[in-house]
Amino acid sequence: MVEHGDIRVVHRGGSKINFREPVITNDSRFLLVPSGECVKVFSTSTEECVHDLRGHTDLVTGVLLRPSNHLQVYSCSADGTVRLWDFTDGILIKTFVIGYPIYSMYASADHEGIIFIVTPLQKLFQLVAVQLPQSGEQLVEARELSGVLSDVSSNPAAITFGQGGEYIASAKGLQLEVYFFKKQKSYRFSLKEDNKKGGKNTFTCVACHPKDDCIATGHEDGKIRLWRNFNHKKEYTYSTLHWHHSAVSSLRFTPEGTNLLSGGVESVLVQWRYNQESQRDFLPRLGAAITHITISPDGALFCTSHSDNKITIIQSCVKVSAVIQGLVKGESVQTDLMLDPRSKALVLNGKPGHLQFYSLQRDKLLYNLDIVQQEYIHELGLQQFEVVKAAFSASGKWLATVEERKQKIAELELNLKLWEYDEQTQSFVLNTTISAPHEAQITAMCFCQAPDSQTTMLVSTSKDGHFKAWQLAPVPSWSCNFVGAYRGLLPECCSFSADGSLLAVSFQEVVTVWSPASWELLTTLSQPPGAIRDLCFGRLSCSKYLLGTTANNLLCCWNLLTCSCKAAYTQMQICSLFVFKPSEPRPLFSHKAVCSGKVTRAVFAPRDEMLESCEESSQWLNHSQLYFLTQNMDLVTFTTKAEEDKLMAFSKQLVIDDSITKTPFHLLLGKHRQQQNQDVASSLSADRTPLPQGSVAIKELLQTPAHVLPSTSFLCSMFVQSLLISITDSRSVQEEMESEKEEEDSDEEMETRTLRPEQAPVGSQATEPAAAPLTKAQVRELRRVKKLDHSWFSGLLDS
């Protein structure tokens, strides 16, 4: 058995992008999003991920722009470090080791070289100030901590700076605390637990006005309070705003303080006019509950994070301009992980009533397919239809889905839907809906995967004790073709062989093998005690084997030629991977503790290009790649060291300026357009006027980083001057061209003269010896001397 070796576990995406509040850069071009153990840099115009800032070894818990340099950004993590990045180039500048897990981070321009973090100390969450040492080393220890506030909330939305850093406001439970740095004094304000109408006054979020002494707080009952005169304990006042029917999750003032933005579970962004709170603007139907609100420093863009792992980019005119959708985390992945044979996209449960198609290569949601086709109502305790099963045909032309709704009093509602892929619309279209296909829950279903099969068949198993075969009629519709059972036992799972000649159906502890051509029961297979949970036929050289897993964590292998159980593997551990050949009992590869949490689902994805691996332990990765999903919705895969080094080398060649505008359409036609431009350039190169000598300066100007260049007004005159050609330069160029032309004519004339003595008549006699011909260099030297100004010599003779 080979363990680890050249194979490594790598993160491939799917992480939450709504875990913490994102940051918009000063120029509103990029969106910095904490996601898992990295920070993703998105383009606000194309929605594409430009690159990842990787380096943390644990969950990233916060990101903020460096107040003294808007081209750099801080990130903090539960690994106890704060890292400084150049986000435009994706370069790690410095790592500050704090030594304590960090839950959130804050900074202010008035506190240069200091960041404020929330970390657990003495069994309480405390807000402490960290002095960042000035050092030339990349790894620096920052152990100088000073306490600011004790017993604060771990929610980042409950702490914020006010008036440019003069004070900091913190809310927890029913208490609001304001700390003034100059006075070194804090004031506390408390509310009663319940108001007269029974609503809860608990604080949920806080925001400070950028110019006025005003603090806005959100509460669980949906109210917003505006606090004033809070620098005096006894003279404070507050006014109340109310629109949200449930808890306010986020509050933000615009940079100028003219508007206040709020959001909650209603999926509506509310914009309040400051000092004119009766005037409000709404942006409804954002799709899911709002968890965070972000505003760009220039106020040009708003950004809302949502509970369905989505980020919506909104223009200041309250109009949606872009949507960045991550992998949607539903209540549970009931459909298992599937791969769309056409798009090679990962398919699983998405938002309620939908299937999501997720690109593994781009780490991006492609689209959602509405299965239930009913409006989802956000109400606690309301039973609604859920997608519980799904399966694709081998060609990807057909998709089968099962939706059900459980009700306490009424019977189970069950629908089986068959979807056909439409080439014109490039999407799945509902073909057949079968109401109540079984009398109880459907436990499994699968298509006949034979590529040369004359009929398209689907088999479903149910807790009603039957399995049914559904067949496609000549007129595109589906109907039941066969109903099977075995001794009153409940079927659990089913699987077709690769050629479609066999169907295996498990009935609790018994595996039955059927012939789909005649629906004859061919044989039954027994195994050690425990209900069968999964079945799978071998392929290619291992097609004679049938594999199954049991509820007792056993992996069984049957030889269909001898109808005997070949092996049963029992040494299975949680969160460990074992790779077997069905013909051999010894694992080919194993990897223990592949992730920190629990592995929920896994799927093999075929490769576009086959790997060339000589080692036996990694040959199972040559044709396909194994992806698995963790409890935190992280997509993790196995790869070889050579493949990872190749990807790293390719990523280093990417330049951010070249990738900002590269949309998928540009990537598709970019090479063709580039070739066309090269052909046009080569055809026009002869007629093109040569660039002036100032082009070197232009090249230097374009290659110099923008933050070290002088002002644009200073560079403008220099740039224009470099494009101009002076009169003297133009005359000298013209004279030089004429001189070269005369030289060419003179050379031709000299060549003809040197040939004349050879062409003399045979009978003629030379009276004088022929002079030796001049070389080209001598001719040019004589011409140069002829052009010299000899007036000084004549003046000398006259004197």
Side-chain angles (χ1 to χ4, degrees):
M1 179 176 64
V2 179
E3 184 171 348
H4 297 276
D6 191 42
I7 300 177
R8 56 186 62 183
V9 180
V10 294
H11 183 270
R12 277 292 181 263
S15 301
K16 293 182 179 179
I17 60 176
N18 63 345
F19 175 65
R20 285 291 189 261
E21 178 183 335
V23 170
I24 306 176
T25 58
N26 280 18
D27 56 5
S28 299
R29 293 174 58 194
F30 301 110
L31 183 69
L32 310 178
V33 183
S35 178
E37 296 180 359
C38 71
V39 178
K40 292 186 177 181
V41 182
F42 290 95
S43 170
T44 57
S45 58
T46 65
E47 307 173 14
E48 295 294 327
C49 181
V50 177
H51 53 232
D52 297 340
L53 306 181
R54 294 190 177 274
H56 288 289
T57 58
D58 207 335
L59 189 66
V60 176
T61 55
V63 60
L64 58 87
L65 293 174
R66 186 179 184 182
S68 59
N69 190 337
H70 65 275
L71 297 178
Q72 297 177 356
V73 65
Y74 288 113
S75 66
C76 63
S77 169
D79 62 7
T81 64
V82 173
R83 297 176 186 260
L84 179 64
W85 307 84
D86 181 346
F87 63 83
T88 56
D89 296 326
I91 300 174
L92 175 62
I93 300 176
K94 193 167 294 187
T95 300
F96 299 96
V97 180
I98 309 299
Y100 298 96
I102 305 171
Y103 283 74
S104 58
M105 176 176 54
Y106 312 89
S108 172
D110 288 356
H111 303 274
E112 179 66 25
I114 298 176
I115 61 170
F116 298 83
I117 64 172
V118 173
T119 183
L121 295 174
Q122 299 176 356
K123 299 182 180 180
L124 293 175
F125 286 101
Q126 298 188 25
L127 178 68
V128 298
V130 182
Q131 180 71 42
L132 300 180
Q134 298 294 329
S135 173
E137 299 180 0
Q138 190 172 17
L139 185 63
V140 182
E141 289 195 2
R143 305 291 185 179
E144 187 178 342
L145 309 180
S146 58
V148 179
L149 294 175
S150 61
D151 194 16
V152 298
S153 173
S154 61
N155 179 17
I159 300 176
T160 185
F161 275 98
Q163 283 282 44
E166 291 184 8
Y167 58 87
I168 190 168
S170 171
K172 182 182 180 182
L174 296 171
Q175 181 174 272
L176 173 66
E177 184 174 3
V178 184
Y179 178 82
F180 292 87
F181 289 96
K182 290 183 179 180
K183 297 180 181 179
Q184 296 287 310
K185 187 177 181 180
S186 63
Y187 297 94
R188 294 181 176 88
F189 310 95
S190 301
L191 295 175
K192 296 180 180 180
E193 184 174 359
D194 294 327
N195 55 28
K196 296 180 180 179
K197 297 182 180 179
K200 294 184 178 180
N201 292 328
T202 306
F203 289 91
T204 56
C205 55
V206 61
C208 293
H209 195 278
K211 297 183 178 180
D212 293 345
D213 286 334
C214 177
I215 299 177
T217 58
H219 302 266
E220 282 193 4
D221 60 357
K223 292 182 179 179
I224 300 174
R225 288 179 170 87
L226 300 179
W227 302 73
R228 293 179 174 87
N229 296 329
F230 45 80
N231 54 351
H232 301 285
K233 176 68 175 177
K234 298 181 180 180
E235 298 179 5
Y236 77 93
T237 60
Y238 66 79
S239 57
T240 302
L241 311 176
H242 198 183
W243 181 87
H244 299 275
H245 71 79
S246 189
V248 181
S249 58
S250 184
L251 288 172
R252 276 294 177 270
F253 280 100
T254 55
E256 296 298 325
T258 55
N259 295 314
L260 173 65
L261 303 180
S262 64
V265 298
E266 303 87 0
S267 307
V268 178
L269 179 65
V270 184
Q271 183 173 246
W272 309 78
R273 296 283 191 272
Y274 184 63
N275 289 331
Q276 296 177 350
E277 285 77 15
S278 59
Q279 300 182 12
R280 296 168 298 193
D281 294 325
F282 301 94
L283 182 60
R285 294 182 293 276
L286 291 178
I290 297 175
T291 57
H292 307 289
I293 299 175
T294 306
I295 302 177
S296 62
D298 59 1
L301 290 180
F302 304 155
C303 175
T304 56
S305 302
H306 299 267
S307 59
D308 61 348
N309 205 27
K310 175 180 65 180
I311 296 177
T312 304
I313 300 175
I314 305 167
Q315 298 176 358
S316 57
C317 59
V318 196
K319 180 180 179 182
V320 175
S321 62
V323 175
I324 301 172
Q325 178 69 69
L327 188 66
V328 180
K329 181 180 180 180
E331 295 183 0
S332 61
V333 185
Q334 301 184 62
T335 60
D336 211 339
L337 291 187
M338 300 169 292
L339 210 67
D340 180 13
R342 289 178 175 268
S343 63
K344 302 299 185 294
L346 186 69
V347 182
L348 67 160
N349 288 103
K351 59 183 183 179
H354 291 70
L355 287 179
Q356 57 179 327
F357 288 69
Y358 199 83
S359 173
L360 294 171
Q361 290 75 23
R362 298 170 56 195
D363 187 23
K364 184 178 181 181
L365 181 74
L366 299 180
Y367 63 95
N368 281 296
L369 180 63
D370 188 0
I371 302 298
V372 175
Q373 297 181 341
Q374 292 183 4
E375 187 69 26
Y376 184 79
I377 302 175
H378 295 271
E379 184 175 340
L380 186 64
L382 182 63
Q383 299 295 331
Q384 302 181 71
F385 275 104
E386 297 180 356
V387 183
V388 294
K389 300 292 177 184
F392 283 94
S393 63
S395 62
K397 183 178 180 180
W398 292 96
L399 168 66
T401 61
V402 176
E403 60 188 49
E404 64 179 32
R405 178 167 63 180
K406 303 176 183 177
Q407 295 185 1
K408 296 180 180 180
I409 302 177
E411 297 181 355
L412 175 70
E413 295 184 59
L414 203 64
N415 292 322
L416 172 62
K417 293 183 177 179
L418 283 304
W419 307 75
E420 183 180 9
Y421 189 82
D422 188 0
E423 296 288 349
Q424 294 183 351
T425 61
Q426 294 291 299
S427 62
F428 285 94
V429 179
L430 182 61
N431 176 271
T432 304
T433 300
I434 303 173
S435 300
H438 287 271
E439 297 179 358
Q441 282 184 320
I442 293 179
T443 57
M445 63 179 181
C446 64
F447 278 94
C448 179
Q449 302 293 345
D452 55 350
S453 177
Q454 299 296 325
T455 59
T456 304
M457 185 180 298
L458 173 72
V459 171
S460 61
T461 62
S462 172
K463 290 183 178 181
D464 61 3
H466 299 87
F467 72 91
K468 293 185 179 181
W470 310 87
Q471 192 167 337
L472 179 64
V475 178
S477 62
W478 292 75
S479 60
C480 182
N481 184 48
F482 177 76
V483 179
Y486 183 78
R487 296 186 177 180
L489 299 178
L490 300 182
E492 294 289 338
C493 54
C494 58
S495 177
F496 276 98
S497 61
D499 60 357
S501 61
L502 297 176
L503 170 66
V505 182
S506 69
F507 288 86
Q508 294 177 335
E509 299 179 359
V510 180
V511 178
T512 59
V513 182
W514 305 74
S515 171
S518 60
W519 293 116
E520 177 186 357
L521 178 60
L522 301 179
T523 186
T524 59
L525 306 173
S526 60
Q527 49 85 41
I532 299 291
R533 295 188 304 180
D534 296 288
L535 283 175
C536 181
F537 278 91
R539 297 181 181 276
L540 301 178
S541 61
C542 298
S543 58
K544 62 181 180 180
Y545 297 110
L546 175 65
L547 293 93
T549 60
T550 70
N552 297 336
N553 294 326
L554 296 179
L555 175 62
C556 303
C557 179
W558 291 275
N559 189 327
L560 297 177
L561 299 180
T562 61
C563 295
S564 61
C565 184
K566 179 178 177 62
Y569 311 104
T570 59
Q571 296 179 354
M572 301 297 169
Q573 300 177 9
I574 298 177
C575 292
S576 298
L577 173 69
F578 295 88
V579 180
F580 292 90
K581 282 185 177 181
S583 57
E584 299 179 6
R586 185 178 179 86
L588 179 68
F589 172 80
S590 70
H591 194 299
K592 298 180 181 179
V594 295
C595 64
S596 57
K598 181 181 178 182
V599 177
T600 57
R601 295 288 190 273
V603 66
F604 274 101
R607 294 183 182 273
D608 296 331
E609 297 181 2
M610 188 184 74
L611 293 182
E612 297 180 359
S613 176
C614 297
E615 296 185 10
E616 185 180 6
S617 63
S618 56
Q619 287 182 358
W620 61 280
L621 290 173
N622 288 354
H623 297 277
S624 58
Q625 198 166 3
L626 178 63
Y627 288 86
F628 58 92
L629 194 67
T630 66
Q631 285 180 320
N632 297 325
M633 297 298 287
D634 292 331
L635 277 174
V636 188
T637 186
F638 292 89
T639 183
T640 61
K641 183 178 183 300
E643 183 184 9
E644 192 68 13
D645 293 342
K646 183 179 178 180
L647 291 176
M648 290 294 295
F650 176 75
S651 62
K652 290 181 180 179
Q653 298 176 359
L654 298 178
V655 181
I656 190 168
D657 291 335
D658 295 335
S659 59
I660 291 174
T661 58
K662 287 186 178 180
T663 60
F665 186 77
H666 181 277
L667 293 174
L668 181 65
L669 300 180
K671 292 184 178 180
H672 177 68
R673 183 173 297 176
Q674 183 178 4
Q675 182 64 34
Q676 287 182 339
N677 294 338
Q678 291 176 355
D679 297 340
V680 174
S682 60
S683 63
L684 297 178
S685 59
D687 302 331
R688 184 174 298 171
T689 303
L691 289 175
Q693 295 298 323
S695 62
V696 179
I698 298 174
K699 186 177 181 180
E700 185 69 21
L701 174 66
L702 296 177
Q703 291 181 349
T704 305
H707 62 279
V708 299
L709 288 173
S711 63
T712 308
S713 59
F714 178 76
L715 294 174
C716 182
S717 59
M718 296 176 58
F719 179 75
V720 174
Q721 288 293 336
S722 66
L723 298 176
L724 299 179
I725 302 177
S726 62
I727 299 177
T728 56
D729 292 341
S730 61
R731 288 179 179 176
S732 62
V733 171
Q734 184 176 3
E735 291 176 358
E736 186 177 354
M737 293 175 64
E738 292 177 356
S739 176
E740 291 178 355
K741 186 177 181 180
E742 290 177 1
E743 289 179 5
E744 294 176 359
D745 296 341
S746 177
D747 292 342
E748 293 177 359
E749 185 178 354
M750 184 61 68
E751 290 177 1
T752 56
R753 288 179 180 177
T754 55
L755 291 175
R756 286 176 184 175
E758 299 178 3
Q759 299 173 356
V762 178
S764 62
Q765 296 180 356
T767 58
E768 297 179 358
L774 297 176
T775 63
K776 291 184 178 181
Q778 292 173 337
V779 172
R780 291 175 182 172
E781 183 66 19
L782 288 175
R783 189 178 294 111
R784 187 185 67 80
V785 174
K786 182 180 178 180
K787 291 181 179 181
L788 292 176
D789 186 9
H790 302 283
S791 59
W792 63 274
F793 186 71
S794 60
L796 182 63
L797 293 177
D798 294 340
S799 61

